[in-house]
Amino acid sequence: MGTNRHTSADSRGRYTPEAAGEIMPGSEGPPGSRTHNLLSPRRGSLMQEPVLVLNATYEPINVTAVRRAMVLMLKGVAQAEELHHTEVHSAAQAHRVPSVIRLLAYRHIPQQSRALSRKNILLRDRNTCQFCVRVFPSSELTLDHVVPRSRGGRSTWENLVACCYRCNNNKGDRTPEEAGLKLARRPRPFTLHTSRQLMRLIGHRDERWRKYLFY
Ligand SMILES: [Zn+2]
């Protein structure tokens, strides 16, 4: 079992806002590997498999990793709603691996709680370069200011997009129009709608998630 560092709950076992505002499995592995694992069919280790997190009201609010989910269950913060057939063995006993967990206490999720971060922008753009529309591992993507900073472009959800290094070099200090590039889609803030879409994308391999995500 992981140490406290890997849990979504604080020392008193509460579910923290930071954890609730993130969609990502696990916290281990080389930097930048998480989003890639998450969006590609390649299987990571069992403890890194994604687990859907429901609020006490059964509303889907997050995706976490098996490891974190099991810590939340052991702390009595959450309970399993759906289980995999797989088991993990601790010293004393075997535990079925959760696929969906539900928080036992209701947590208020603010509408616009998602932090503007590299990780969240790559998630929003699904690791797809917004100019050449190819999918890359996180380590091969950078953030591009659509309107360059040198031209007054700001660091906002609407002005930052995932971009491969090649397109980024090609674009340089120009606007997309000047560089003859076209954005795959207009960048928008990360909304609840985006979160749901991502949850469906992450959960498409696990039909146990379906009834909670309505697809
Ligand atoms: Zn590109």
Side-chain angles (χ1 to χ4, degrees), residues 49-108:
E49 286 291 299
V51 175
L52 183 65
V53 182
L54 307 174
N55 214 334
T57 53
Y58 291 90
E59 182 198 0
I61 51 170
N62 193 12
V63 175
T64 190
V66 165
R67 179 188 296 279
R68 283 188 180 192
M70 292 188 84
V71 170
L72 290 172
M73 286 162 59
L74 286 172
K75 288 193 166 185
V77 176
Q79 70 177 34
E81 290 296 327
E82 306 286 337
L83 293 160
H84 286 290
H85 295 299
T86 329
E87 289 182 340
V88 287
H89 299 267
S90 64
Q93 54 196 139
H95 306 268
R96 292 272 297 279
V97 172
S99 161
V100 178
I101 61 168
R102 184 170 65 92
L103 301 181
L104 296 177
Y106 178 77
R107 224 200 83 75
H108 175 70

Side-chain angles (χ1 to χ4, degrees), residues 175-212:
T175 65
E177 297 74 39
E178 289 168 352
L181 295 167
K182 202 167 169 293
L183 277 172
R185 55 178 185 174
R186 193 161 66 87
R188 295 168 194 272
F190 206 127
T191 62
L192 194 63
H193 179 66
T194 321
S195 303
R196 286 290 159 80
Q197 283 183 320
L198 280 166
M199 286 179 194
R200 286 178 185 144
L201 191 74
I202 297 163
H204 77 277
R205 284 176 292 142
D206 191 342
E207 59 185 36
R208 296 172 193 85
W209 290 24
R210 283 185 184 227
K211 63 181 172 201
Y212 305 100

Side-chain angles (χ1 to χ4, degrees), residues 129-134 136 141 163-168:
C129 170
Q130 294 298 292
F131 296 109
C132 66
V133 204
R134 287 168 59 205
F136 291 89
L141 285 166
C163 183
C164 74
Y165 285 102
R166 194 166 167 210
C167 289
N168 191 244

